[in-house]
Amino acid sequence: MHGPANGPFYAVYYPALAIIGVPANLVAIIILSRGRCGLSRCITYYLVAIAVTDFLVMVTAVILNRIGGIYFRYSVLSITPGCAVSTVLVYATRDGSVWLTVAFTFDRFVSICYQKLKTRYCTEKTALLVIGMVITLSYVKNVPFYFTYQPLYILDGVPWFCDIKSSYYTIPWWQAYDWLDHILTPFLPFFFILLLNALTVRHIVEASRARRRLKGSESDGDPEIANRKKSIVLLFAISLSFLLLWVTYVGHFLYVRVTAEAYFTGLDFNDPHFIFQETTNMLQLLSSCNNTFIYAVAQTKFRNELKKLLVFPFAVITSCFRLNSAS
């Protein structure tokens, strides 16, 4: 890749993101799978599924796609078919992560706002069914992307890299598909997450006021109100994180549509179009490694389990030393 000015930044950013994101999601998977965070199995299934898809985003988008493209330019994944398959996997895991977040938000909305429906919808069976459907549809929906690419150039009969076909911008079917892709991710998730969280927070606030009126001055130490406040903090944290890190992606799509320019597929790190497009990707990928930190801040039991997990290796080493000293 060309251009020394920005190249080193990307070459450092993506490895750093992988170093943080991969362990963070693995830690979340381990802690949540153990079921010791005081969460129902239904919630646990959603959070584990989100952590798994975020982990896959780190592997496919950051390690294979970005880091592989920077440090291993002429690998199997750089050949056009490999590049196209890699892109499909990146989009599929990304969509899975986003829509599982929406599914989890909807599950919490039903659980908090509709007690009668909660007993039928907020179950382990429904959670597994929804997770399976979201993952399957995410992959099916992105398969057409494989056919949107052509070789950037052909060397000794081998097609290298992926260049978006010009027909992608002219054929109505592809134009409709591009709009559908961006409507499904992230426009609809934006709308659903904002709407569901607004309705959930409104319900929590109204219920808390009613409970406070009934309990009077005793409400200050009411654990139910305290739990609802924690729910609001967690919902706002997840929602705000998603919105802030995806807003540039939405802006980039609208920019391409308004200016009628093509998506950048060149190799120049210093090109303003590349910088804008890559910035949207950087922020979007960052959203796949921050949920663990949100849980750690908002959930006391998760934080305690995290401490135990971090201390465990040192405890094992200390025990080994003690055994050796005793013998």
Side-chain angles (χ1 to χ4, degrees), residues 13-326:
Y13 176 82
Y14 288 115
L17 189 62
I19 290 171
I20 296 171
V22 170
N25 285 303
L26 284 175
V27 164
I29 293 169
I30 293 170
I31 293 175
L32 293 169
S33 298
R34 296 173 71 185
R36 299 177 182 176
C37 297
L39 303 171
S40 69
R41 292 183 67 84
C42 177
I43 297 175
T44 300
Y45 285 157
Y46 279 115
L47 295 184
V48 169
I50 291 171
V52 170
T53 52
D54 283 345
F55 171 77
L56 292 175
V57 169
M58 289 291 109
V59 172
T60 58
V62 178
I63 296 177
L64 296 181
N65 192 286
R66 291 300 192 274
I67 296 177
I70 293 172
Y71 291 101
F72 307 100
R73 287 291 311 284
Y74 294 94
S75 67
V76 175
L77 292 176
S78 296
I79 298 173
T80 304
C83 172
V85 169
S86 173
T87 302
V88 170
L89 292 176
V90 169
Y91 288 153
T93 53
R94 174 206 66 178
D95 287 1
S97 175
V98 170
W99 278 100
L100 283 173
T101 302
V102 175
F104 171 68
T105 305
F106 182 74
D107 179 87
R108 291 300 84 207
F109 166 72
V110 171
S111 175
I112 294 171
C113 301
Y114 294 94
Q115 293 297 313
K116 292 182 180 179
L117 183 59
K118 173 184 176 181
T119 55
R120 287 181 293 165
Y121 182 82
C122 302
T123 63
E124 298 173 31
K125 184 178 179 180
T126 301
L128 291 173
L129 179 63
V130 170
I131 290 168
M133 288 177 60
V134 168
I135 297 299
T136 302
L137 291 175
S138 295
Y139 279 87
V140 170
K141 173 251 180 184
N142 286 290
V143 167
F145 273 117
Y146 180 87
F147 305 99
T148 65
Y149 293 104
Q150 63 186 3
L152 189 61
Y153 59 83
I154 298 176
L155 184 63
D156 296 330
V158 179
W160 288 99
F161 304 107
C162 287
D163 185 27
I164 299 176
K165 296 176 181 177
S166 58
S167 59
Y168 187 76
Y169 302 99
T170 56
I171 296 178
W173 190 92
W174 283 121
Q175 289 283 283
Y177 179 74
D178 189 49
W179 271 104
L180 177 66
D181 174 55
H182 286 82
I183 287 172
L184 290 177
T185 307
F187 282 104
L188 275 182
F190 255 65
F191 172 75
F192 284 138
I193 288 176
L194 277 174
L195 177 64
L196 292 172
N197 278 286
L199 293 174
T200 303
V201 169
R202 187 184 70 175
H203 179 86
I204 291 174
V205 170
E206 290 177 353
S208 297
R209 285 175 180 170
R211 191 177 180 87
R212 194 177 291 112
R213 282 196 297 269
L214 288 173
K215 285 189 168 277
S217 59
E218 296 178 4
S219 64
D220 292 336
D222 191 343
E224 183 65 24
I225 291 179
N227 287 334
R228 284 174 178 163
K229 287 180 179 178
K230 289 180 181 179
S231 297
I232 293 176
V233 171
L234 184 60
L235 287 170
F236 269 125
I238 293 175
S239 302
L240 235 103
S241 170
F242 176 83
L243 295 173
L244 290 175
L245 294 175
W246 277 85
V247 68
T248 54
Y249 185 90
V250 175
H252 179 250
F253 169 73
L254 295 176
Y255 170 80
V256 169
R257 287 296 156 203
V258 171
T259 61
E261 292 189 11
Y263 292 108
F264 190 84
T265 56
L267 302 175
D268 187 358
F269 275 132
N270 296 314
D271 190 291
H273 294 161
F274 174 86
I275 294 172
F276 182 28
Q277 181 169 296
E278 197 62 18
T279 299
T280 68
N281 292 326
M282 289 164 59
L283 293 175
Q284 175 234 309
L285 292 172
L286 181 61
S287 70
S288 291
C289 76
N290 65 341
N291 279 344
T292 303
F293 303 100
I294 293 174
Y295 303 150
V297 171
Q299 298 289 324
T300 303
K301 290 186 178 180
F302 183 93
R303 192 160 56 247
N304 292 336
E305 289 298 314
L306 177 60
K307 290 176 183 177
K308 291 177 184 178
L309 186 64
L310 294 176
V311 170
F312 180 74
F314 299 101
V316 171
I317 294 171
T318 303
S319 298
C320 290
F321 275 119
R322 287 176 179 174
L323 288 173
N324 291 332
S325 299

